[in-house]
Amino acid sequence: MDWVEDFYSRTGRWWAEAESGLGDRDRSRVERLHRVCGPEPRRVLELGCGYGSTAAAFAEAGHRVTGIELTDRADHAKAHLERLGPERLQIVRGDFCTADFEGRFDTVAYWNGFGIGSDADQRRLLRRIADEWLEPDGTALVDVYNPLVWASWDGEVELLQANPERGYHHELQQHLAFDPVTATAVDTWWDTAEPEHRITQRLRCYSPADLRLLLEGTGLALAGVLVGGEPVDLAADHTGDPAWLRDHYEYLAVLKPAL
């Protein structure tokens, strides 16, 4: 996983001006927590908190939030920290694979990052959530990449034009590939001004059935799935190939301590 810090630091610099502010995506994540757990104030840990904008949205909603971020995206959280104060929001610069936190949390959230590394890496993280961070009656919210959609994107190339008025100052190229043997998305980016400097992220994808197998022995169980903010009935007969499996590149897994 040596690529992680360089990939997210570099893309973070590309997109910081446009995306480091608090936006609709951040508020929608708060709405999803409230839909699953209710609006009561909670102690929240956000893994890989990036610019800190989603953590700030949770703090604005009355929760006490700790975010941890490995890369220099965390440097852009200063405005959120100054506005909300340390009693409501704290951002830690570090690696959540090795970090320790004081006390336990009602909610552990991991947006757009689960799947980095091997199955063994995911299980180690899930065990830490269950054994060290999550309250016995707590909830973990984890974005999981949907292999069917990523497989359908195999071989696609996209050019993203610069848009300085919106804060996007780089013209970027993206190439997508999918390894069907390991169900891994291979996502490569480069600035068209520097085509020799390409960076790639590798993301393990899991169907709900695969996720259930991954969770065995971790202390966590799949309690539900939300797609586009709406719950999916996993007990239903899905032989008709439900649309969400084809149309959504990720789903939100709701995890609870296993009984």
Side-chain angles (χ1 to χ4, degrees), residues 24 39 59 117 179 213 222 225 230 243 257:
D24 291 341
D179 179 354
L213 292 173
L222 183 62
V225 163
E230 298 298 322

Side-chain angles (χ1 to χ4, degrees), residues 22 26-35 38-44 52-65 80 83-84 87-89:
L22 199 154
D26 306 303
R27 295 185 180 92
S28 72
R29 289 169 173 169
V30 177
E31 292 172 1
R32 291 171 190 182
L33 170 67
H34 291 174
R35 178 161 194 165
E40 296 78 17
R42 301 172 70 84
R43 189 168 185 237
V44 177
S53 54
T54 297
F58 275 95
E60 280 192 351
H63 306 285
R64 289 183 298 132
V65 186
H80 300 307
R83 178 167 53 86
L84 294 162
E87 292 301 315
R88 299 170 67 185
L89 176 62

